[in-house]
Each structure stands twice: as C-alpha cells, then as structure tokens.
Amino acid sequence: MTGTKRYTGASAALLLGLAACGGPASIVVDNANIIDGTGDAWPTGRLVVVDGLITCVGAQADCAVPAGVEALDADGFWVVPGLIDVKEAAEVPSNEQAAYLAFLLGVTTAAVPEIPEGPDGERLPPTGSDDARIPAPRPAAPVEEPPYPFGLFGQALAATVPLDAGGPPGREPRDLQLYARSRPALADREALLDSARAMGARGAAFAPRLLEQERWAAPYRLPHGMNRLVEYAMVAERIQDRLLPDRTPAEAERLGAALEVHREFVREFHAAGGSVSTATNGALAPGLALHEEMDALVTAGLTAEDALYAATREAARYLGLEDSRGTLEPGKLGDFLILESDPRLDISLTQTVSRVGKGGVLYDPPTLFDALLDNPGNRVSDNPVRLLIGGAALLLTLLLFARGVRRHRRSLGPRVVP
C-alpha cells in the first residue's frame, strides 16, 4: 500500500494509545473479515475511516487507501459495528470507571437515563462522551417506555393473565418483585404468543431485557473464556453488588417457568418480523451485561447473527440513531470492534474484543485498562497543557509495561505490518 504509514512493535502500540490525545482519526483496517451489520460480509475486506467517519467498506479492490493513513493488518480477525445498549442503568453518583469498562468491552453507545444531581445535590458528570479521545460510550437518550414489567411484553401479558390469578403473598418489596417476575407463568400462553406474532407482524420494536429475568430465575455464573478484562476485581465486585434476594425452591421454579414464557414471546415476536434490540438496565457489570443479553437472546431462539444485529443495527434503530451508527456504512461514525473470532458461529465470541474503535481512534483494552482504572477522572481536554500532560502520562505508563505490550500485541490483536 504505497503512501501508507506503517509502524512496528511497541512503537505501534504506543501510537495506538497516544491516538486518544488527538480527536477523530483516520485508519485503514485491512485484510479483515468484515461483518457490516446490513447482512453483507467480506472475508478479506477493508474498512476506511477518515476524520472519524467511514468512507468505504467492502472488498479491497473497491476501497482505495488514502495517502498518509495508518494501516492495520487484521488478517484472521473479524470487524463488526460497535455495540449499543438501548438502556443502561444510571449510576448515583455517576461512575466514570463503569463507563470506561463498558467501552473497553465493546459498548460504543449507551442510553443512560439522565440524573441531574446526586444524593447531596451535587452536579453529576456525564457518563459518556462523543469525544473520540475519551474511551467511554457515546451518550444517547433512552426511549420513553413504561417501566418493567409493563413495556411491550407487559402490555401483552396484562391481557392474558386471568383476573383471578391473585396477587403477591405479602407487601414487602421482595414479595412484590417476585410476584411481578413470576407473573408470566400465570398467562394464557397461546393468547400471549398470538399477541407476540401480531406485534411482530406490525414491525414493532422490543428490548426484552431477558438477562434480568435470567438472573432472577437462577444464580449467575461468570462464563469461561470471557475477555481477560473481567479478571479485574472491579468487575467481580460489580457482579456481587447486584446479588438478588434468596429464593425458595418453589419461587425459583415459578421464576424459571416465567422465563420460559418470556423467551417464547421473544422468539415468536422476532420470527413474525419484530425488531429485537439489547437493553441491560444494569443487570450485571457494565459491558459484560450486554454480551450476556445477546447470549440470552440466542437461548431464546435467535441465531447468533440475529443477536449481533440486535446489539448493533436494531439497537440503533430503536434509539433513532440508524443514520449515524449500528452498521458499517459510508458516512457513519467510525465506531467498530475488532474481534478474535467470528461471532456468527457463537455469540459468546463477541467477548473476544481485541480493539475498540471510536471515531477512528483505536483502543487496546488490555494495555489501556490499567491506566484508565488508576484515575479515570484525568480526561484529556482541549487545553494544550493537559493534552501534553495526558500524553506524557500515558506514554510513561505504556513504556513501563512495554514487555507486556509486546506479548499482548502478539497474542491478543492484529499486528501492524512492518
């Protein structure tokens, strides 16, 4: 590729990290297996991002390499659109580390309900940013909808649960929650599934939040082979922070039956033509929850490819952002993931995040996570002095971990062609 800048070894890793000090960037991802989210795929494709926007995606013969643009050889890797959470839980106080973690696990856009102030009246910083220099999801406004369990599923449920089904055994919050989560088991199943088919045939949009119901029905177990980032204590702590009340065997059985009804509803809704997207509502640690929601959709009966579309194309449509993200197409934001394996074979392979691209800026999760975790409030601003300080601090951190960086670049990600 004549006229293309190329870097090798640790120098390339440093450039990937320091790119975060610049703003929207230009990058060519070459020789990748590209899944663009529209239904098209290229086994040896090329993605071109210029000044933060995609200018070309497709076969190498159809996409010229701009002069002076860095090229990354992604041979043997897969490129997919960045993941989107249509409803993440708000943090009080706002937790920047949670936003960084979600981003480094592949969530490039998250709709988080706005909380204007903290418990003591303090102003809360935003949990996301459109600035490509900040490794956090882009913010989006959540779609207004009735709270669970009403929503689209709840609307159908209300019409099919017998009037004499009774109520919760008590008025304690635990009793009310368990009753609400178990209620689908009381429904007229055929009538409920007829409603799912009718809604799907009308082209309705639905974010089922199956992971929430799964967590109530059975204890959560961290998946084997998950991205190495989940080995950090913060992730384990955030999973433990969301432990649910103990359930009796009878309660667990009812919750499991309700989950099966919920899954059937999602399967029939999708098969009839409905749009299914991903929402987590803080069911697990940030980022991890979205991967597990996709897995929950596959368990419900969607294919792995459909689950990937739910977290990209369909999620963007749900939020009204389909003109700027959700698929890899010219004119859209250069937000994408580089994965180690093909997620269409097994949706859990979305967890093998090797690089996260935001506005053309590439982030290396294993290399940058420690630096971000140390003090995530030290964001790079437009102030030249802070730009210089931030760049120097990041450079020093990466130099200290140079040996580890070289190992990571050999085993975790595509290498820049020398």
Side-chain angles (χ1 to χ4, degrees):
M1 287 181 252
T2 306
T4 303
K5 293 181 181 178
R6 301 174 185 275
Y7 307 96
T8 60
S11 297
L14 294 175
L15 287 169
L16 290 175
L18 293 175
C21 296
S26 301
I27 186 76
V28 172
V29 182
D30 218 357
N31 297 316
N33 298 283
I34 298 177
I35 305 169
D36 71 358
T38 71
D40 290 332
W42 292 270
T44 308
R46 177 176 290 162
L47 174 68
V48 181
V49 179
V50 176
D51 295 332
L53 298 177
I54 297 171
T55 59
C56 191
V57 59
Q60 293 174 322
D62 299 329
C63 294
V65 177
V69 174
E70 177 190 356
L72 192 69
D73 184 11
D75 184 25
F77 290 78
W78 279 257
V79 175
V80 301
L83 305 179
I84 300 174
D85 192 336
V86 305
K87 189 175 182 182
E88 173 60 285
E91 301 287 340
V92 183
S94 176
N95 190 329
E96 291 177 311
Q97 290 189 11
Y100 290 140
L101 176 61
F103 177 79
L104 293 176
L105 287 172
V107 181
T108 56
T109 295
V112 182
E114 182 179 357
I115 299 179
E117 58 184 31
D120 299 323
E122 72 275 20
R123 183 179 179 182
L124 297 178
T127 57
S129 174
D130 282 311
D131 192 334
R133 299 169 297 179
I134 298 175
R138 298 180 188 272
V143 174
E144 291 295 330
E145 61 177 10
Y148 185 88
F150 301 103
L152 186 147
F153 177 61
Q155 291 170 10
L157 188 64
T160 57
V161 174
L163 294 176
D164 59 353
R171 306 306 298 176
E172 294 296 322
R174 176 188 180 280
D175 296 325
L176 296 173
Q177 283 272 31
L178 284 171
Y179 172 72
R181 300 282 178 179
S182 303
R183 196 160 169 256
L186 305 174
D188 181 330
R189 185 168 297 195
E190 286 307 315
L192 186 64
L193 297 182
D194 285 343
S195 295
R197 298 180 192 106
M199 291 174 173
R202 293 199 302 268
F206 181 33
R209 297 184 346 216
L210 280 170
L211 177 61
E212 282 189 66
Q213 190 71 13
E214 285 190 350
R215 291 216 62 202
W216 278 84
Y220 176 74
R221 294 290 182 268
L222 195 65
H224 293 291
M226 177 60 186
N227 188 297
R228 291 174 178 82
L229 291 174
V230 300
E231 296 174 5
Y232 284 84
M234 187 184 79
V235 179
E237 290 168 1
R238 293 187 66 82
I239 292 173
Q240 294 168 1
D241 285 345
R242 288 170 170 77
L243 289 176
L244 302 172
D246 290 335
R247 280 85 76 197
T248 66
E251 289 169 341
E253 184 177 354
R254 288 196 299 273
L255 288 165
L259 173 60
E260 288 304 317
V261 173
H262 202 165
R263 286 170 172 165
E264 284 186 276
F265 184 93
V266 173
R267 180 168 61 250
E268 295 299 320
F269 173 85
H270 180 264
S275 171
V276 176
S277 55
T278 47
T280 64
N281 205 33
L284 279 175
L288 174 61
L290 192 61
H291 292 281
E292 292 290 46
E293 180 69 13
M294 287 189 284
D295 185 72
L297 292 176
V298 172
T299 302
L302 276 65
T303 67
E305 189 167 7
D306 287 335
L308 178 63
Y309 292 158
T312 53
R313 180 186 67 200
E314 301 305 314
R317 289 176 178 172
Y318 190 91
L319 295 173
L321 299 173
E322 64 270 26
D323 291 339
S324 63
R325 65 204 78 180
T327 58
L328 301 177
E329 297 180 90
K332 293 191 177 184
L333 295 168
D335 296 352
F336 58 91
L337 309 182
I338 299 179
L339 306 178
E340 296 178 8
S341 303
D342 186 351
R344 297 170 299 180
L345 302 177
D346 182 343
I347 196 59
S348 68
L349 296 176
T350 58
Q351 300 166 2
T352 62
V353 180
S354 174
R355 296 288 186 274
V356 182
K358 180 181 181 183
V361 178
L362 276 183
Y363 290 90
D364 175 18
T367 304
L368 298 181
F369 187 71
D370 281 334
L372 295 172
L373 190 60
D374 285 341
N375 192 347
N378 286 342
R379 293 176 170 175
V380 179
S381 72
D382 291 327
N383 186 305
V385 175
R386 290 198 64 196
L387 283 171
L388 180 61
I389 294 174
L394 185 57
L395 177 61
L396 177 61
T397 300
L398 293 175
L399 286 172
L400 291 174
F401 287 95
R403 184 175 302 175
V405 167
R406 287 193 293 271
R407 287 199 300 267
H408 277 306
R409 290 192 60 78
R410 286 195 299 268
S411 63
L412 297 179
R415 289 169 290 175
V416 176
V417 176

